[in-house]
Amino acid sequence: MKTFNTLIFKQEESVAILSINRPQALNALNSQVFDELNEALDYIEQANYLKVLIITGEGKAFVAGADIAEMKNKNTHEAADFSERGQQTFLRLENLKIPVIAALNGFALGGGLELALAADFRFASEKAKMGQPEVNLGLIPGFAGTQRLSRLIGLADALYLLTTTETIDANEALRLKLVQKVFPHEVLMTETLKIAQLLAQKAPNALQKVKFTTRKGYEMPFAQAQKLESEVFGSCFDAEGKEGMNAFLEKRKPKF
Ligand code: CO8
C-alpha cells in the first residue's frame, strides 16, 4: 500500500479511497499535493484489482481551492505552468479506466470544485458548499473549471456561478445536476462506499468500456460516436460478455 504526506490512500476490498489530507489549510492544493496525486494515479492505473476510486477530503473541507499562499508569488509563466500541471493531473483522473466518484464532505471551492468536476460523478454531504470564487481573487479557474462546468451544467448556469461566485449548498447543486446525490453528513462515506461496491461487482471490462465509450463519444460528432459504440459493443462478445449472458439464461449469478 502506498503512503503519502498530503494524501491518505486506503482500500476497501476493490475500492480505492483517496483523501486529500491538509486539513490545516482546508486541503488546499499545493505542488506537493499534485506530485502525490500523480504518484497515486500511477499506482491506481497499474493496480488491476482496483475497480472504483473515491476521492474525498479530510476534516471539514473537500478542497478549498488551489493553495493561495503558495500561488501568490508566481509570475505569469509560472502560474500558467501550474495551471497546465493541474489540468493534466485532473485529466489523468478523468481518464482513469475505472469509475471515479467525488465524495464532497465540505467546502469544494475553486480548484477543489474543479477537482470534483474531473470525477465521473459527485455525491455531496448536506454540509457541502460549492463554488468558483476565483474572480474575487482577481483570477479565473485554471484547472479546466471554465470548460468542465459549462459542459456539465450548461453555459448559463456555469457563467452564473463563475461570475457571481455564489457559494451553493448541496440541494442547489443537486438541482443544477452538479451533484448526483445528497446524503446526511454522517453517512456520506458509507453510502458512497455502498454504491462504489455495487459498481465493483459489475462486469469489470464492460464497466470500463461503458465509461470509455460514453466519455469518448461525448467529444465526437454523433455519427462517429455511434460507430465507436458499435465497435466497443462488438468487443464485449468475449468471455466476459458470454458469461454474463449465459448466467442470465441459466438463472444464476455471473462469475466475472
Ligand atoms: N489556500 C490556502 N489556504 C487556505 C485556503 C486556500 N485556498 N483556503 C483556506 N485556507 C486556510 C486559511 O488561510 C486558514 O489558515 P490559517 O488557519 O493559517 O489562517 C485555514 O485554511 C482555515 O481557513 P479559514 O480560517 O478561512 O476557515 P473558515 O471556516 O473561516 O472559512 C472558507 C472557510 C470560506 C473556505 C475560507 O477558508 C475561504 O474562503 N478559502 C478560500 C477559498 C477560495 O477562494 N478558493 C479558491 C482559491 S483560487 C483557486 O482555487 C484557483 C484554481 C486554479 C488555479 C490555477 C493555477 C494557477
Side-chain angles (χ1 to χ4, degrees):
M1 180 75 65
K2 280 210 71 93
T3 55
F4 301 95
N5 289 320
T6 63
L7 305 175
I8 296 176
F9 185 68
K10 286 192 289 198
Q11 234 177 277
E12 292 277 347
E13 295 168 12
S14 53
V15 177
I17 304 169
L18 204 51
S19 192
I20 314 289
N21 185 30
R22 297 188 68 221
Q24 71 288 359
L26 303 188
N27 301 325
L29 303 171
N30 63 11
S31 321
Q32 194 184 7
V33 177
F34 279 110
D35 287 346
E36 294 198 328
L37 267 176
N38 275 290
E39 277 180 49
L41 290 170
D42 289 341
Y43 180 83
I44 292 164
E45 278 169 359
Q46 285 169 24
N48 289 334
Y49 56 91
L50 292 175
K51 303 282 191 276
V52 182
L53 171 65
I54 299 172
I55 186 148
T56 190
E58 290 299 302
K60 72 172 180 179
F62 173 70
V63 168
D67 189 319
I68 300 167
E70 185 188 83
M71 198 167 53
K72 76 173 171 41
N73 293 321
K74 292 190 189 300
N75 63 33
T76 51
H77 294 296
E78 289 164 344
D81 285 349
F82 186 55
S83 160
E84 263 185 45
R85 177 157 168 68
Q87 287 175 353
Q88 280 161 8
T89 308
F90 290 1
L91 196 59
R92 281 190 74 189
L93 183 74
E94 184 175 85
N95 285 340
L96 274 184
K97 289 182 177 168
I98 59 176
V100 180
I101 310 172
L104 307 180
N105 53 303
F107 294 112
L109 299 173
L113 186 54
E114 294 179 282
L115 168 61
L117 293 173
D120 294 310
F121 36 87
R122 285 145 291 284
F123 299 157
S125 135
E126 280 171 348
K127 288 192 183 168
K129 298 268 184 250
M130 285 146 272
Q132 299 284 174
E134 284 89 343
V135 297
N136 294 332
L137 301 166
L139 305 174
I140 69 167
F143 302 143
T146 57
Q147 304 310 304
R148 285 203 179 90
L149 191 63
S150 54
R151 282 165 174 75
L152 197 64
I153 66 171
L155 189 58
D157 285 326
L159 280 171
Y160 177 81
L161 291 181
L162 290 161
T163 57
T164 63
T165 73
E166 190 175 306
T167 301
I168 58 170
D169 65 16
N171 286 322
E172 176 63 359
L174 188 65
R175 189 188 72 78
L176 291 171
K177 300 195 174 150
L178 180 55
V179 302
Q180 282 53 59
K181 284 184 188 294
V182 177
F183 296 114
H185 186 72
E186 316 69 61
V187 298
L188 172 70
M189 281 316 287
T190 48
E191 291 299 317
T192 302
L193 201 53
K194 268 189 217 163
I195 294 175
Q197 275 160 349
L198 278 180
L199 290 174
Q201 285 161 25
K202 305 289 177 199
N205 295 334
L207 189 67
Q208 295 189 4
K209 285 175 182 175
V210 81
K211 168 171 173 173
F212 169 79
T213 310
T214 307
R215 279 207 173 273
K216 192 88 184 157
Y218 197 71
E219 296 160 10
M220 289 176 170
F222 191 77
Q224 210 183 325
Q226 279 203 124
K227 198 166 181 317
L228 173 72
E229 187 188 74
S230 297
E231 283 163 14
V232 180
F233 182 76
S235 80
C236 294
F237 284 66
D238 56 3
E240 184 183 275
K242 301 283 179 199
E243 167 60 12
M245 292 184 283
N246 280 331
F248 173 80
L249 294 172
E250 292 161 15
K251 302 190 190 306
R252 60 173 173 83
K253 273 191 113 180
K255 291 191 203 87
F256 293 125

